[in-house]
Amino acid sequence: MIETSGVIEREQGNGFYMVTLDKPEGHQCLCRAAGKLTKFRIKLLAGDKVTVEISPYDLTRGRITYRERNMGAPRSGGGHRPGGRRR
């Protein structure tokens, strides 16, 4: 597997995303989110920086394995409670 980074350009529907890769420069591939991302309900939006695995046999398809954290976004207290941590 080839592992590279890229940016999500748009959501194609049915769980697919069009990703523009950093290496090779400007190459686009159609990617799905890996099982762990869907299991833990990680949201993927256009503009997110992601890590992608690509098969050497088909360079037009891939799997998104990691979404980089947005350092500017505020963190909520935690869990499923809307108010944050219980005090």
Side-chain angles (χ1 to χ4, degrees):
M1 296 298 268
I2 300 168
E3 191 168 315
T4 184
S5 60
V7 177
I8 297 177
E9 292 299 318
R10 63 182 179 272
E11 185 175 351
Q12 296 289 94
N14 203 21
F16 285 96
Y17 301 90
M18 183 61 69
V19 177
T20 301
L21 304 178
D22 295 340
K23 292 182 184 177
E25 184 72 33
H27 180 76
Q28 286 191 332
C29 68
L30 191 63
C31 299
R32 273 189 85 98
K36 291 279 186 178
L37 292 176
T38 56
K39 178 181 176 182
F40 293 110
R41 297 186 179 145
I42 305 295
K43 301 295 183 202
L44 298 171
L45 301 172
D48 285 347
K49 289 186 61 79
V50 293
T51 302
V52 177
E53 284 183 353
I54 303 171
S55 169
Y57 300 107
D58 187 6
L59 298 175
T60 62
R61 299 273 179 152
R63 179 185 310 122
I64 299 172
T65 56
Y66 184 76
R67 180 182 65 91
E68 293 184 18
R69 293 177 188 247
N70 184 1
M71 293 300 174
R75 290 187 59 190
S76 63
H80 299 289
R81 291 187 218 109
R85 292 184 178 231
R86 178 179 265 169
R87 297 179 201 265

